Amino acid sequence: QMTLKESGPTLVKPTQTLTLTCTLSAFSISTSGVGVGWIRQPPGKALEWLALIYWDDDKRYSPSLKSRLTITKDTSKNQVVLTMTNMDPVDTATYYCAHSIWLGVLGYFDYWGQGTLVTVSS
Amino acid sequence: EIVLTQSPGTLSLSPGERATLSCRASQSVSSSYLAWYQQKPGQAPRLLIYGASSRATGIPDRFSGSGSGTDFTLTISRLEPEDFALYYCQQYGSPLAFGQGTKLEIK
């Protein structure tokens, strides 16, 4: 059974950089066709896609947040890392990582982590 | 960028009734690259439908998806108590986008 688990700080200060790690189990980010994405959800609000990385290191970003985001993969640890710069209280949200498959286009997300709540406050 | 608008915002129905949820795109969604998710409080979303009409693994057949172009529908034929939740549509062209959600509540 594929699983994903997010880890990182629960509290960051405004202007700081957030770094989140997604650890993958029962599948490899190195396998052809595999992708891992990040999606966030502010409390009581809708889902928002942030970024996606594929096995071949193809990276895609939300246009509205592209300047603040970097997604990378560590194949030796089977992890995907998201960094978001210049954090603001409006970035307070539950951050999810999720498994996807390259379909010739960006894909849907069939396995999700449990999510991690990140609060931005001084 | 494609914007997805879901309606209604809230749908109040009783168990056993039929639910029809709508997702409208601001531009045509290529090749029906549309998915539906269910989310319950405190849980991650769960994939229900992909490719507009294909059920994900383990999803009961009371859930069905239809539509093409700019208009898509998720139908739950007979509501079970566990179906009352939030539902999101997502298009997976580039860039990805989610709708704002429909809350399905017990009447």
Side-chain angles (χ1 to χ4, degrees):
Chain A
Q1 171 77 351
M2 293 184 188
T3 63
L4 304 93
K5 186 172 177 62
E6 305 89 350
S7 59
T10 57
L11 179 66
V12 298
K13 290 180 167 47
T15 75
Q16 286 187 335
T17 294
L18 171 68
T19 299
L20 294 173
T21 300
C22 180
T23 301
L24 318 176
S25 296
F27 73 98
S28 171
I29 189 60
S30 299
T31 300
S32 180
V34 169
V36 173
W38 285 94
I39 303 98
R40 72 177 178 180
Q41 185 173 38
K45 296 189 177 181
L47 301 167
E48 179 183 22
W49 171 65
L50 301 177
L52 244 177
I53 189 167
Y54 289 99
W55 83 102
D56 60 356
D57 213 35
D58 184 12
K59 302 170 185 178
R60 308 294 179 98
Y61 295 100
S62 165
S64 62
L65 292 167
K66 183 174 183 177
S67 63
R68 298 174 55 204
L69 296 172
T70 302
I71 190 169
T72 59
K73 60 183 174 66
D74 184 332
T75 54
S76 65
K77 296 181 179 178
N78 208 25
Q79 293 177 331
V80 171
V81 176
L82 180 76
T83 61
M84 179 180 290
T85 60
N86 195 25
M87 294 292 285
D88 183 272
V90 300
D91 296 314
T92 294
T94 296
Y95 287 75
Y96 296 99
C97 60
H99 171 273
S100 185
I101 291 290
W102 174 251
L103 302 169
V105 292
L106 307 188
Y108 50 84
F109 300 104
D110 51 1
Y111 293 89
W112 293 64
Q114 65 190 22
T116 185
L117 175 62
V118 178
T119 302
V120 184
S121 176
S122 55
Chain B
E1 294 179 38
I2 296 177
V3 176
L4 299 178
T5 302
Q6 293 186 240
S7 61
T10 301
L11 184 57
S12 300
L13 294 170
S14 300
E17 290 193 295
R18 180 185 185 91
T20 303
L21 287 68
S22 173
C23 178
R24 177 161 289 176
S26 59
Q27 306 170 43
S28 183
V29 176
S30 300
S31 302
S32 298
Y33 290 141
L34 190 107
W36 289 92
Y37 300 84
Q38 177 194 69
Q39 187 180 34
K40 297 180 180 179
Q43 296 184 17
R46 177 175 71 146
L47 177 68
L48 299 175
I49 301 286
Y50 62 93
S53 60
S54 297
R55 271 188 301 277
T57 303
I59 301 303
D61 60 7
R62 64 179 181 273
F63 290 90
S64 63
S66 62
S68 63
T70 59
D71 290 302
F72 298 87
T73 300
L74 175 70
T75 301
I76 311 171
S77 58
R78 285 179 54 86
L79 285 166
E80 298 287 343
E82 62 267 27
D83 298 337
F84 292 91
L86 274 166
Y87 291 84
Y88 293 96
C89 59
Q90 178 223 333
Q91 70 88 18
Y92 43 98
S94 185
L96 291 176
F98 287 92
Q100 85 280 16
T102 289
K103 181 180 181 181
L104 178 56
E105 66 175 22
I106 299 177
K107 188 174 182 179

